[in-house]
Every structure is written in C-alpha cells, then in structure tokens.
Amino acid sequence: MKLNIAVLPGDGIGPEVTNQAIKALKAIAIEFDHTFNFKQAPVGAIAIDKHNNPLPDSTLDLCKSTDAILFGAIGDPKYDNDPTAKVRPEQGLLKLRKELGLFANIRPVKAYDTLISKSPLKKNVIKDTDICIYRELTGGIYFGEKKLSDDGDTASDLCEYSRYEIERIAHLAFKSAQNRKKKVTLVDKANVLESSRLWRKVVGEVAKDYADVTLDFLFVDNAAMQMILNPKQFDVILTENMFGDIISDEASVIGGSIGLLASASVGEKYAMFEPIHGSYPQAKGKGIANPIASILSAAMLLDHFELFEESELIRKAVEKALKLHVTTPDINTKYHHVTTTKVGDFIEDVINNPNDSNLNFTNIHLGQSTII
Ligand code: IPM
Ligand code: MG
C-alpha cells in the first residue's frame, strides 16, 4: 500500500516522540513492502514563532492532500501563563480538528499486565481493564460562541449540540461496542444540562439499531468516581467534547502513564493520529519522554487502513519493550538510562526481526545492542 502521511510534530516533546513513531512505520513499510511517504509541517507554538499563525495555510493544505496525519503535541508555557495572549498554540489543533471534520476522537485505555504495579491504583481494581473512549471532538463548549464583556469582567462559552453531531459519533461508538464487550456508557450531565438531555434522547434512539449492545447512562461526576473505583465495568464510553477530555486524562492513570495512551481522530474524509499527552515542555530534549503513545498512535493509523497484521506487529513490539523494561523513566524504576530514542530503536529492531526471540537482556540494559 502507498500512503502519504503528513507529520506535524509540534512543540515540546512532540518532535522527539513523533520521530520514534516514524521509525516504527518505516520499519513496517520495509517488512511488509509498503511505501509510506512522510512530509513535515509546522503547527502550534513553533508555527506562531515562524509564521505568526498556529496553523499556517500551507500546513492545512498539506493535511488535506495526504492520506493521514501523524500529530505530535502542542503547547508552550509562555502562552499558558498569559491569559491575554490573542494567539495560542491550541488554536492550531482545534482549527485542524474543525477544518478536517475530525468529529470522533477514539481513545483506548488498557491496563497492561506488565505495568500493573506502575499505576497508583490497586492491582485488583485495574487488572483486565479495557476501555475505549469515544469523545466528540468538533462541537460543544470548545466550539460554541465565546463572549467577553467590554469591561472584561464577564465571560461565557456556549455548549451547543445538534442531533446530527450526536448521531454520527453514537453510530461509531455502537459499532465499536459490537466488536468488543457490547456495552456503551453515555457519560453526560443530564440532571443539569439541556445539551446532555438531547444526548440522552438521541443516543437512546440510535441504540435501537444495535439490539445486541447494552446502553447505560452515567452522570459525569459519578463516572469520574467510577473510573477509579471500578474501571472494569466500562467497555465503550461515549461522551461530549469536554467531558471526554477530562475523563480520558483520568483514565490514563489506569495504564500507569499518560505516555502510553494513543488516539485516533476521524471524520468522513480525514484521519489524524496523536498521543493524548501534551507537549511536556519540561522534558523537551532530555530524552525522557515516553514515545509509546506516539508509536501506538501509528498502530492506530495502520488499523485505519485495515493493515491489521502490521499494527499487531507494532503492538507486539511495544509489549516486548514493556516486558523487558525497555521504557522511559515514567514507567521504568529499574533502569534509568533508557532514553526516548532507545525505546524507538528497540521497537524498530523488533519489527525488523519479528521472529527473533533471542533477546539479550543484559546487553539491552548495558545500552549496547538490542538484539543478538
Ligand atoms: C487533548 C488536549 C487538547 C484538548 C488541548 C491541547 C486543546 O487536551 O487533545 O485532550 O483539550 O482537546
Ligand atoms: Mg486533554
């Protein structure tokens, strides 16, 4: 298969983790005889510095002319700490989502057996957790009308949803549940918000097309509690934009590190793949950023094109890295010298040598070679 992939590394640790995902994809291309072409473009703070625009037209045009987008991270403290800043890196990501119509953000959360002790949550609570969050991504409070009064003392953000916006993501969530544990939980705040009541009504109607799937409802405050009390009860979580943003960061604690969570943002025409973590500016250039979320996002990219054998190989390589502690310090309390690049090199090696199980642990952790 031939794929043209736009690479938007962005800010902070974005470039270093994205490079590892590209390495994994290049290794897959060789192993399976595919042609993957990569073209880079600026987005976020780096694009503001260069072009005074967090999403330059040339970047958007590139995204529209490629088959898929691999995204790194955006954000910079110089904007976070300045509420008066008119241009912000995040606007680049939001505009990208809106312009490309990426209405569904899919965020899988899994408790890996090898990492179960890394989570601050109890082992018996998180073991076997396997959740897939469907977060609506182009509507709601993120995109509703924003107002600031002339005196600057009153502000508001409108949360608006239409039946159409709810239906299209609901169908995706139910279809996914059909291939999983056949349960959808709608997370909302229907006891307070009119928009949530519309979600309940519409999702209840969509559910009728999927008789084999059970639909549950949970208020978001309760869902936040249930997520850490008993995450195993969830299969597919369907929710609006901001609740999904919050719940998915919370859910990342189950996996042991936010550095492991990948995501796919899909629409009718375009698809973008990105780790859910931010730009982690404090870690930039230190080699400590976990590239696994980005590498697993590349696996989701392959899934999107139905290259399942290929994505499976990436996931196997990641699992091997986790098992052998070839991981960055966020999840590696044993070996502190394993850098972002080393994790990427190891995963690349496993992809290049899929049948070679003759791994030498000592060499890996002496930093000499990965495979003998
Ligand atoms: C995410 C991020 C973004 C969001 C930010 C960077 C705008 O937190 O993808 O979860 O809020 O959607
Ligand atoms: Mg977020």
Side-chain angles (χ1 to χ4, degrees):
M1 184 181 279
K2 187 175 174 227
L3 288 179
N4 291 323
I5 301 170
V7 180
L8 276 51
D11 305 322
I13 58 164
E16 44 200 289
V17 295
T18 310
N19 278 340
Q20 313 314 312
I22 294 174
K23 251 166 30 189
L25 286 172
K26 283 188 174 162
I28 289 286
I30 294 171
E31 191 60 30
F32 292 86
D33 212 9
H34 297 305
T35 307
F36 297 159
N37 299 316
F38 300 91
K39 263 199 191 146
Q40 296 222 4
V43 71
I46 193 161
I48 301 179
D49 293 345
K50 269 199 203 148
H51 308 274
N52 204 24
N53 182 350
L55 180 65
D57 289 345
S58 52
T59 299
L60 186 58
D61 289 346
L62 174 72
C63 293
K64 287 185 173 169
S65 69
T66 44
D67 300 303
I69 304 144
L70 196 59
F71 191 93
I74 53 170
D76 189 295
K78 74 180 172 207
Y79 300 97
D80 295 345
N81 305 330
D82 177 10
T84 63
K86 288 266 177 299
V87 194
R88 311 183 149 271
E90 288 78 5
Q91 289 164 346
L93 177 57
L94 298 179
K95 187 168 171 207
L96 198 56
R97 290 171 177 171
K98 194 73 174 176
E99 290 276 336
L100 301 179
L102 307 174
F103 65 84
N105 183 224
I106 305 159
R107 298 184 160 183
V109 179
K110 221 174 120 172
Y112 289 95
D113 276 343
T114 42
L115 288 179
I116 211 127
S117 59
K118 301 288 181 294
S119 172
L121 300 175
K122 287 200 179 99
K123 216 170 158 172
N124 62 332
V125 170
I126 58 172
K127 192 170 168 19
D128 298 326
T129 297
D130 185 357
I131 305 173
C132 196
I133 300 173
Y134 275 71
R135 167 189 176 194
E136 201 290 328
L137 203 59
T138 50
I141 197 165
Y142 272 57
F143 292 96
E145 190 189 358
K146 299 186 185 312
K147 282 191 197 159
L148 181 65
S149 64
D150 290 342
D151 63 6
D153 287 341
T154 309
S156 67
D157 299 272
L158 181 69
C159 179
E160 199 170 46
Y161 270 108
S162 68
R163 163 180 287 277
Y164 168 68
E165 288 175 301
I166 300 167
E167 273 174 359
R168 60 184 178 176
I169 186 165
H171 281 291
L172 294 186
F174 278 100
K175 283 192 181 117
S176 159
Q178 283 184 318
N179 295 319
R180 297 173 46 97
K181 287 174 275 170
K182 301 192 168 40
K183 181 175 167 186
V184 170
T185 304
L186 175 65
V187 169
D188 63 23
K189 189 72 187 170
N191 51 345
V192 178
L193 303 178
E194 200 58 51
S195 54
S196 284
R197 288 192 276 272
L198 182 66
W199 271 82
R200 272 203 189 202
K201 185 172 157 233
V202 174
V203 173
E205 287 166 18
V206 170
K208 292 186 185 132
D209 292 348
Y210 304 88
D212 53 334
V213 178
T214 312
L215 172 64
D216 257 11
F217 303 101
L218 217 51
F219 296 141
V220 61
D221 45 352
N222 187 10
M225 183 172 72
Q226 297 298 330
M227 183 62 81
I228 46 172
L229 271 182
N230 177 18
K232 270 179 277 204
Q233 69 183 286
F234 297 115
D235 178 21
V236 171
I237 290 181
L238 169 62
T239 191
E240 61 99 72
N241 204 342
M242 190 157 78
F243 296 159
D245 179 44
I246 298 167
I247 285 279
S248 57
D249 266 30
E250 187 194 9
S252 75
V253 178
I254 295 165
S257 168
I258 196 164
L260 295 171
L261 288 203
S263 85
S265 302
V266 302
E268 256 140 46
K269 252 173 122 177
Y270 304 104
M272 181 162 97
F273 303 86
E274 55 173 314
I276 86 152
H277 61 68
S279 59
Y280 193 12
Q282 308 86 319
K284 182 182 174 174
K286 291 192 182 149
I288 57 170
N290 191 339
I292 289 181
S294 185
I295 293 169
L296 290 175
S297 301
M300 292 185 85
L301 183 155
L302 296 171
D303 282 337
H304 183 75
F305 293 99
E306 297 186 359
L307 301 175
F308 298 122
E309 211 185 315
E310 289 82 339
S311 62
E312 194 47 37
L313 182 53
I314 292 197
R315 292 195 176 97
K316 278 217 174 98
V318 165
E319 274 171 29
K320 203 168 250 182
L322 296 176
K323 202 165 151 206
L324 299 181
H325 306 284
V326 188
T327 50
T328 43
D330 52 322
I331 47 173
N332 197 341
T333 41
K334 244 178 156 164
Y335 306 102
H336 296 285
H337 63 267
V338 184
T339 61
T340 309
T341 311
K342 266 196 194 141
V343 176
D345 289 347
F346 177 81
I347 288 170
E348 182 188 21
D349 274 352
V350 179
I351 295 169
N352 285 334
N353 304 278
N355 299 318
D356 189 344
S357 55
N358 188 19
L359 291 158
N360 183 323
F361 295 70
T362 320
N363 280 353
I364 293 165
H365 291 298
L366 286 175
Q368 290 164 356
S369 75
T370 50
I371 290 176
I372 54 164

